[in-house]
Amino acid sequence: MRALELKLVCKSYDGVAAIDQLSLVISQGCIYGLLGPNGAGKTTALRMMVGILMPDQGAVCIFDEPFERRHLKIIGYLPEERGLYRKAKVGELLLYLGELKGLPRSTTQRRIVELAERLGIGAALARRIEELSKGMEQKIQLIIAMINHPQLLILDEPFAGLDPLNSAMLVELLLDLKLAGRTILFSSHQMDRVEKLCDEICLINHGRSVLQGAVTELKARFGGRRVRLVYRGKAPFLNHDGSIVSRINDGNTVELRAGPEVNAQDLLRTVAAGATIISYETVEPSLEEIFIEAVGTHHGV
């Protein structure tokens, strides 16, 4: 089943397109990453998924149905901006917001304790929001997003304000939710987290999709033209006409990337013409490198 689908969604502000014919499909039980440079339209897209904004054109579907307000009962949403009442006590605020979502008081109280303990902030429930660090505030907002046990969890920059230890705690929690059959969509600039968590990604730029697919498939696609090799002799290939780009050069070890018109075998023949190859291996690109290359190509650089 499709947990979420965007069908040719468009959204403009004062005649400027923030989202331009964006389509994507997220399967149930998937962890999905929505990526893009600053100003690409990620937050606008997420807000349309939860009804904060309505698309000018296109459709948003939740579990194969056109989005309606009733779907918010099974959706959890973490906004990028914090919006907590500064003077409120944490436990009282969480109880109030849980009841606003239609949960029985006893259920809300149980979920607050469970999630607070899981995120390591049980002792903070009696404190006021203004007394908390940014990281603890982020955890409070995560509890708000998850308090209704959502089938679909939509997170805008969930790792913002979290140190490495708490980021790792959140990664573990999200993976547990996936094992329980929950669907998670999040945006993030932390490519290492995206790479570790996501089954699939969509990279957008200027409101349009420029790259979509399973992370493993994208790595295979972008990694097919790269090798790391150890050589002996001279290396005239490092000064090639642009079809071979040097990435790392440490003594006689070098990482090379073939240009668009050159495959890995062509690259190796070029190297062998001027040096003796001791060893070589294909190199899998990081998601950050794929991001940079895809956005750069989209910009025409």
Side-chain angles (χ1 to χ4, degrees), residues 172-184:
E172 183 179 348
L173 174 57
L174 295 179
L175 289 174
D176 285 348
L177 290 173
K178 176 188 172 181
L179 287 175
R182 309 295 169 175
T183 306
I184 301 161

Side-chain angles (χ1 to χ4, degrees), residues 286-299:
S286 68
L287 199 54
E288 182 174 3
E289 290 171 313
I290 293 173
F291 177 100
I292 292 171
E293 182 173 343
V295 172
T297 301
H298 187 65
H299 277 296

Side-chain angles (χ1 to χ4, degrees), residues 4-299:
L4 187 146
E5 183 176 8
L6 299 186
K7 300 180 180 179
L8 297 173
V9 168
C10 299
K11 185 67 180 180
S12 297
Y13 300 102
D14 296 326
V16 178
I19 296 295
D20 187 5
Q21 295 187 323
L22 178 61
S23 296
L24 58 84
V25 174
I26 302 175
S27 300
Q28 186 174 1
C30 173
I31 299 183
Y32 196 99
L34 184 65
L35 312 178
N38 292 333
K42 301 186 296 297
T43 294
T44 296
L46 296 181
R47 286 175 176 173
M48 285 191 288
M49 295 173 191
V50 295
I52 295 174
L53 298 173
M54 300 304 294
D56 299 330
Q57 298 178 41
V60 177
C61 295
I62 304 294
F63 292 101
D64 295 327
E65 297 177 341
F67 174 83
E68 296 180 2
R69 301 296 297 179
R70 61 184 174 84
H71 289 121
L72 294 177
K73 292 182 178 180
I74 59 171
I75 296 175
Y77 173 58
L78 172 76
E80 182 178 11
E81 301 85 3
R82 294 180 179 87
L84 302 174
Y85 300 107
R86 308 297 301 164
K87 299 295 183 180
K89 289 187 177 181
V90 173
E92 294 174 357
L93 176 62
L94 292 174
L95 184 60
Y96 169 70
L97 293 174
E99 291 181 320
L100 278 184
K101 292 189 176 186
L103 299 176
R105 189 178 186 88
S106 60
T107 301
T108 302
Q109 291 173 324
R110 184 178 67 253
R111 286 289 290 165
I112 290 170
V113 172
E114 289 174 354
L115 291 169
E117 292 298 328
R118 179 67 191 265
L119 292 171
I121 57 170
L125 295 178
R127 298 171 63 184
R128 297 187 185 277
I129 297 295
E130 62 185 358
E131 300 171 358
L132 305 181
S133 66
K134 290 183 179 179
M136 293 183 74
E137 286 188 31
Q138 184 73 342
K139 289 183 179 182
I140 298 304
Q141 295 213 150
L142 284 164
I143 292 175
I144 295 168
M146 295 186 289
I147 200 167
N148 60 330
H149 219 306
Q151 296 294 317
L152 172 62
L153 186 58
I154 299 175
L155 309 173
D156 197 349
E157 295 292 344
F159 297 98
L162 299 182
D163 61 29
L165 180 62
N166 285 305
S167 291
M169 184 186 299
L170 178 56
V171 166
E172 183 179 348
L173 174 57
L174 295 179
L175 289 174
D176 285 348
L177 290 173
K178 176 188 172 181
L179 287 175
R182 309 295 169 175
T183 306
I184 301 161
L185 164 65
F186 72 94
S187 70
S188 179
H189 288 100
Q190 297 188 25
M191 292 297 158
D192 58 331
R193 299 300 180 191
V194 174
E195 194 161 357
K196 183 174 182 178
L197 277 168
C198 291
D199 303 299
E200 299 182 33
I201 65 166
C202 174
L203 172 59
I204 65 174
N205 196 23
H206 300 301
R208 298 184 69 98
S209 171
V210 297
L211 190 68
Q212 288 191 42
V215 172
T216 53
E217 294 174 359
L218 294 175
K219 281 176 167 286
R221 186 199 314 174
F222 280 78
R225 302 194 309 271
R226 298 177 56 179
V227 299
R228 181 182 293 115
L229 61 89
V230 179
Y231 66 93
R232 183 172 62 244
K234 296 182 179 180
F237 51 86
L238 295 179
N239 299 314
H240 203 261
D241 60 5
S243 60
I244 298 176
V245 180
S246 175
R247 303 289 293 181
I248 302 171
N249 192 3
D250 181 16
N252 286 352
T253 300
V254 65
E255 184 176 308
L256 304 174
R257 176 168 57 88
E261 305 302 322
V262 180
N263 60 36
Q265 294 302 314
D266 293 332
L267 186 153
L268 289 174
R269 280 192 286 269
T270 300
V271 173
T276 300
I277 298 174
I278 305 302
S279 66
Y280 77 93
E281 60 180 345
T282 58
V283 178
E284 183 180 79
S286 68
L287 199 54
E288 182 174 3
E289 290 171 313
I290 293 173
F291 177 100
I292 292 171
E293 182 173 343
V295 172
T297 301
H298 187 65
H299 277 296

